[in-house]
Amino acid sequence: MVNKTPQVLTIAGMDSSGGAGVSADLKTFAAQGVYGANVIVALTAQNTMGVQQVSMTSPSMIHAQLKSVADDLKISAVKSGMLGDVPTVEAVAEFLQQADFGNYVLDPVMVAKGGAHLLSDEAIVAIKSSLIPLATLITPNMPEAEVLSGSNITNHEDVMQSASKIQQLGVENVLLKGGHASGKDVYDYILLADGSHFWLKSSRVDTIRTHGTGDTISAAITARLALGDDMKTAIIRAKAYVDATIREGIDVGHGHGPLNHQARVTDRHFPEVLENV
């Protein structure tokens, strides 16, 4: 039967070294057992040591790619990653307002692991006004959550308040990732549309091979939603997959290496689910 296979879409940039962006998303989709389509919003010359050059896709070409996918495939969940600038954000938002792509997972790629801002203030405003209200789930890291909520995060209470402020921007569900915090354990906070909330606790892995972690977890959630998981289950399973990709790492490159997207998930990779921390 045509379009019986679960199909998902990533809208993001292409990492020439294969570790992040569309490359990571497509590997994750395949690992989860769904078919992945892609819309390329930027080409990058990058490797495990950094980004050397970026070339943005024109808004008209972004629209053309989106239309081609929508005209043929049955997309049941979509995610966006690095969008880069205001014209790109606006092009994506305009199409998503009209498309029937199912659940939308927004990875607001604004702040790099080293703290560098990847978007202008104008592009951040565009994401807040145009994309966040369309999203089923948003997955900011802690620096991105501080930008979106306008508040500093120094403790667990701050995390909860920041997530609540982000939800008030119009998104249904919030996953605030805790990887940027210090400590031997990582605490991710999830605030769901019905007001329920919980924490995911996992032990930190001492490695620099974490390139593409944010892309991978948002892609895994997107895939799980397309497979029929509810939001809580999708997030927990995606977190377990990411833990496996880090813990069962591979040795690639001379810098911050990529994840092992072929890693096999076992019970030991699943996070502890907590009501309070």
Side-chain angles (χ1 to χ4, degrees):
M1 182 183 296
V2 174
N3 283 330
K4 184 177 181 180
T5 300
Q7 297 153 58
V8 296
L9 171 66
T10 173
I11 307 169
M14 179 61 75
D15 173 0
S16 57
S17 69
V22 166
S23 298
D25 293 342
L26 293 178
K27 292 173 186 177
T28 301
F29 292 158
Q32 299 300 314
V34 300
Y35 180 84
N38 55 257
V39 168
I40 309 297
V41 303
L43 296 176
T44 71
Q46 68 173 291
N47 51 37
T48 63
M49 295 179 288
V51 179
Q52 291 79 46
Q53 190 171 333
V54 177
S55 178
M56 298 301 297
T57 306
S58 69
S60 62
M61 185 58 183
I62 292 171
H63 182 274
Q65 292 179 79
L66 286 164
K67 187 175 186 306
S68 290
V69 171
D71 285 348
D72 187 33
L73 305 186
K74 184 176 177 58
I75 301 299
S76 55
V78 57
K79 67 150 289 187
S80 65
M82 191 279 290
L83 297 180
D85 58 22
V86 172
T88 300
V89 172
E90 291 178 343
V92 171
E94 181 181 358
F95 198 92
L96 290 183
Q97 286 174 350
Q98 305 168 8
D100 182 17
F101 284 162
N103 288 304
Y104 170 36
V105 177
L106 169 57
D107 181 13
V109 183
M110 298 179 177
V111 183
K113 282 186 174 63
H117 281 236
L118 304 176
L119 286 178
S120 66
D121 291 342
E122 293 78 11
I124 292 172
V125 170
I127 285 178
K128 292 174 71 172
S129 62
S130 300
L131 284 181
I132 289 181
L134 301 176
T136 310
L137 171 71
I138 190 169
T139 63
N141 58 33
M142 291 178 67
E144 289 161 350
E146 289 182 328
V147 172
L148 292 172
S149 66
S151 55
N152 294 328
I153 298 176
T154 58
N155 53 47
H156 292 314
E157 184 65 29
D158 291 343
V159 168
M160 297 173 66
Q161 292 180 1
S162 180
S164 179
K165 290 179 181 179
I166 293 170
Q167 190 180 57
Q168 291 169 23
L169 295 174
V171 64
E172 296 179 31
N173 306 279
V174 180
L175 162 58
L176 204 163
K177 299 173 293 189
H180 281 74
S182 59
K184 65 182 181 64
D185 296 316
V186 176
Y187 292 89
D188 301 306
Y189 179 68
I190 297 89
L191 175 61
L192 299 179
D194 62 3
S196 62
H197 58 99
F198 60 98
W199 297 83
L200 296 181
K201 176 185 175 183
S202 56
S203 58
R204 191 180 300 276
V205 182
D206 184 16
T207 179
I208 62 170
R209 304 195 177 281
T210 57
H211 183 51
T213 305
D215 306 298
T216 298
I217 193 167
S218 58
I221 294 169
T222 304
R224 297 309 316 177
L225 292 174
L227 290 168
D229 287 355
D230 60 69
M231 184 60 71
K232 181 175 183 178
T233 303
I235 292 173
I236 293 172
R237 287 181 172 177
K239 178 67 177 180
Y241 172 67
V242 170
D243 187 80
T245 66
I246 298 173
R247 204 169 293 279
E248 318 303 328
I250 53 176
D251 188 9
V252 174
H254 295 83
H256 284 81
L259 309 177
N260 177 13
H261 288 94
Q262 299 177 10
R264 179 174 171 267
V265 179
T266 65
D267 289 345
R268 78 188 191 96
H269 297 116
F270 277 79
E272 184 178 358
V273 181
L274 305 172
E275 293 186 3
N276 299 291
V277 297

